[in-house]
Each structure stands twice: as C-alpha cells, then as structure tokens.
Amino acid sequence: MTTHKSVETRYLEERQQFFQGLRNLDRRSFLKVSGAALGATVGLAAPQSFTPVSVAMGAENSDSKPAFRFAYISDSHLYEKNVNDRFVRGLLRAVDDVNKLDPQPDFVFYGGDLAQLGELKQIELGAQILKNLKAPLRIMVGEHDWYLDLGQKWQELFGKSTYSFDHKNVHFVVLNSVVEKDFWTVRKMTPMERMKTVAGLDNGVQSSFTVGEEQRNWLKDDLAKHPDDAQVIVFSHSPLYKLYKNWNFWTDDAEEVQAILKRFKQVVVIHGHTHQLLTNRIGNIHFHGMLSTAWPWPYAPEGMPELTIQMSRPDPFDPNDGCGDGEVRVHPDGLVDKVYSLWNRNPITVARAYTVSWGKQSIPPKPNRVAY
Ligand SMILES: [Fe+2]
Ligand SMILES: [Fe+2]
C-alpha cells in the first residue's frame, strides 16, 4: 500500500534532502541534490537542455569542424543557502547540464559573480558545487566576488585573478576587468558598504570598471611571445567594449585593451556580467556575452551592438526564464560557435560564420517565445 503524501509534504522533503546534501557535497550527495533541484522546479525539468544543436549552415565558411569545445557557466550570484536557494539550484542545474555532455568538454570556464556579496560562505558554497564538475574548471572573478575584501578570499580559494593558459594551440587570457578607482576611503565606507555600492550597478557613486594599467602591461608582455596569426581567446567579466555606462555594462579602458589585441588577425572575447545574449565585433575582435544562471538583465536602452539578436524579454512569472549556461566550440582558426543553452527555450547558436561575415551568413534564429 502506498502512503499518500501531499504536494506540500513532498516539497518539504525535497527541500530537506536538498539542504542535507548541500551540507556535505560529495559526488554522491551532489547527484541526489541536483536531482532534487530539478524536481523542485516544477515544469522546468525539461529533457537535457544542453543538447548541442547543429549549426544552421548555408555558409561555406562555417564548415570547419571544431577543434575542441569547452562549457561556460556564469553569474550565479549565490547567497547563503538559508537565505536564497533558487540561485543555488540554478548553479546545480548548470553543473548537471555540463556533466551530462557526452563527450565531456575539455574544460569548464566559470565567468565570474559566483557570490552575491563576496562573503566567504557564498564563495565556499560555489566552490563546493563547482567541485562536482567532471571536467577541469577554470574560473575568473566578477565584481560581486571582489569588493567585500578586495579579492582576498576568492584568491585564497581559486588563485590569481589574472592569468593565461594554452590549450590545443589556443592562447587563453583571463583578465580582471572590474578594477575600480578607490571611491570608498574618502567616504569612510565599511567593506559591506563598498560591496553593496558596487553591486548596485547604477548607483552613481562607484567608478567605472577598468582593466587598469598594471594588467594592460601584463597583457602586452603575455602576448609578446605570440605571432600575429596566433589564436587568442580573452575572458573578461564586463564586456571589453563600451555598451551602457549607467549600468556599468562598460569597461572604461576598453579601447586601450582593444589596441593591444589589434595586431592579431582575429581575437575572441567572451564575457559574463550582462546576463544576456550579446554579439559584437569591432575590427578583428569578436565579442560574445554569456548567460547567467541567476537572472537575465534587460537589454540596455542604448549602445546595443548591431550584431546582437536580442532574446525575447523574459517571462516575469518564471524565475528561470532567460537563464542558462553555454558551450563554446573552438574552431581550428580560433574563432568560435557559441551555443546558448537557454533553459526554457530552444538553444541558440551564434556561429563563427555569423561574425566572420558581419552578420550576413548563418544568422541566428529570432526568439521563438513571446516577449513580456
Ligand atoms: Fe552578474
Ligand atoms: Fe558582474
């Protein structure tokens, strides 16, 4: 005989299991917990949302086979689990998505804003969840990870915030693009006041994000040994171009960084922070904005790059709408196909040929959902 359980009881049990698992996230409890995370989002447990989609061809130069691929997760904005578990479930879902990829990606890149307010417990919780990725992890910093203690805890856990590495002929560069001028000392702000000021992107008190002179010099040195036809992929958190200053969708010294990258035949810049599909090209530099697992930002009222095909405006009654993770297929020439794994919508691919042809070929599909 089966005992009847009300929806409420079942939900409570699921939550209990979810939080029990979070206390000690080894591989086994992760599987249980991530299953519960999916189950708890009723109606969202879509079949594997991370299905790679074949690129809509029609362009002769979108044919080359990817040399390798990596997965991309970003902007989880974790609170402590007793404060908010929705964002925790978002990250669990992304880790699940990526772990289900077969074959596994060569590595997973995390694009910053792991924590919401830079607190140790938030960063540690994120690190614990990310430990469950099967593929190796590379990670960068976002402003939400940084401005409570100016990166101390994050760096203790993850290492340097500026670095580079090589993988299968591609040179990857990771920049801390959220460096701000000191606005806090003169105002006698506490660390949390500073953090909250930076977190409020449009409060008008903080300074604009920069890469800064020190990192620009490091970048020049780092790239000096690479010839002009090298394959270079740069990760920034904020876009390395000027989109909309009032929201800090902006890097103040973007032109100076672009000038360093200018001598290369082609460069790809991949960024988080804007929590939405963004495509841009400035000269030889191809830019791709990635999704968040926490929430989608609206599009900025001005400054939108022409190549961007906007997502439809997310359903305000569906907290996961417009969120997702992604996959990057790197072609032998270093340019990429970006696959946006939108959790509640069809995946969208922005193919290499689209940016190569300045938007004339392999045009990504228009949004297939109503805009709210
Ligand atoms: Fe973010
Ligand atoms: Fe950010």
Side-chain angles (χ1 to χ4, degrees), residues 75 77 112-113 143-144 237 273-275 292 295 297:
D75 290 271
H77 292 264
D113 284 354
E143 79 279 15
H144 285 259
H237 180 67
H273 184 62
T274 46
H275 301 201
S292 155
W295 71 79
W297 283 122

Side-chain angles (χ1 to χ4, degrees), residues 256-297:
E256 285 156 278
V257 181
Q258 289 165 19
I260 299 170
L261 301 173
K262 203 173 173 172
R263 72 174 172 90
F264 293 99
K265 226 173 115 200
Q266 49 196 22
V267 181
V268 172
V269 176
I270 297 174
H271 67 88
H273 184 62
T274 46
H275 301 201
Q276 60 199 196
L277 273 68
L278 274 174
T279 310
N280 192 12
R281 184 176 162 188
I282 299 172
N284 57 333
I285 312 174
H286 304 238
F287 302 86
H288 297 277
M290 309 295 281
L291 296 166
S292 155
T293 65
W295 71 79
W297 283 122

Side-chain angles (χ1 to χ4, degrees), residues 183-190 193:
F183 60 83
W184 50 87
T185 306
V186 68
R187 291 183 171 85
K188 297 189 169 65
M189 285 183 172
T190 65
E193 282 166 349

Side-chain angles (χ1 to χ4, degrees), residues 29-88:
S29 43
F30 173 79
L31 288 173
K32 253 200 224 163
V33 167
S34 62
L38 274 185
T41 48
V42 181
L44 299 183
Q48 170 56 295
S49 56
F50 212 98
T51 322
V53 186
S54 49
V55 179
M57 294 293 179
E60 60 278 33
N61 54 355
S62 61
D63 47 358
S64 63
K65 262 185 133 182
F68 66 94
R69 53 185 196 160
F70 64 90
Y72 191 99
I73 304 174
S74 196
D75 290 271
S76 300
H77 292 264
L78 299 179
Y79 287 89
E80 271 185 72
K81 52 192 179 271
N82 56 352
V83 179
N84 174 320
D85 63 299
R86 182 164 74 75
F87 295 163
V88 177

Side-chain angles (χ1 to χ4, degrees), residues 141-184:
V141 79
E143 79 279 15
H144 285 259
D145 305 314
W146 196 259
Y147 280 93
L148 185 66
D149 62 2
L150 300 176
Q152 203 183 314
K153 288 170 202 115
W154 191 94
Q155 290 173 103
E156 275 165 27
L157 269 173
F158 298 117
K160 284 186 177 165
S161 62
T162 309
Y163 61 98
S164 64
F165 61 96
D166 293 291
H167 185 78
K168 292 183 180 165
N169 257 349
V170 179
H171 186 63
F172 287 91
V173 175
V174 183
L175 296 174
N176 175 354
S177 65
V178 296
V179 177
E180 294 201 17
K181 277 189 217 105
D182 183 348
F183 60 83
W184 50 87

